[in-house]
Amino acid sequence: MAHKKGQGSVRNGRDSVSKRLGVKRYGGELVSAGSILVRQRGTKFVAGQNVGTGRDWTLFALVDGKVKFDKNSRRVNVVAEAAAAKN
């Protein structure tokens, strides 16, 4: 006779790999062109000045500069370094 009961099988014992979404560079941080600023699904954040949008809604810097959020922290801008030096 078996000393352990049969365990059966579980139908929902799987989990997906996390996608590491969210803000990667915060306001005031210096970034280089091509830096990823936000990884997102949909347009939770929108691209502002000197910011591009990728195919998967990723926001990235188009120029070197400083990150700046506005429009209730929903629009992401990059203020170019030359312009940032004047201010």
Side-chain angles (χ1 to χ4, degrees):
M1 302 255 320
H3 290 271
K4 293 192 175 189
K5 292 186 176 223
Q7 296 302 307
S9 62
V10 179
R11 271 189 277 185
N12 62 351
R14 294 169 299 283
D15 199 4
S16 61
V17 178
S18 63
K19 302 297 182 217
R20 274 80 169 181
L21 302 176
V23 178
K24 306 298 180 188
R25 295 283 180 262
Y26 295 95
E29 283 192 57
L30 283 171
V31 293
S32 57
S35 297
I36 293 173
L37 307 175
V38 181
R39 286 228 181 249
Q40 60 184 351
R41 294 290 167 262
T43 55
K44 190 177 186 107
F45 294 91
V46 294
Q49 192 177 12
N50 298 321
V51 174
T53 305
R55 232 172 28 126
D56 62 350
W57 303 107
T58 295
L59 300 183
F60 58 92
L62 295 173
V63 297
D64 295 352
K66 212 175 244 189
V67 179
K68 182 173 177 279
F69 286 84
D70 61 3
K71 293 275 187 184
N72 287 336
S73 301
R74 282 197 13 96
R75 185 167 62 185
V76 188
N77 303 289
V78 174
V79 180
E81 276 189 64
K86 290 177 186 174
N87 292 340

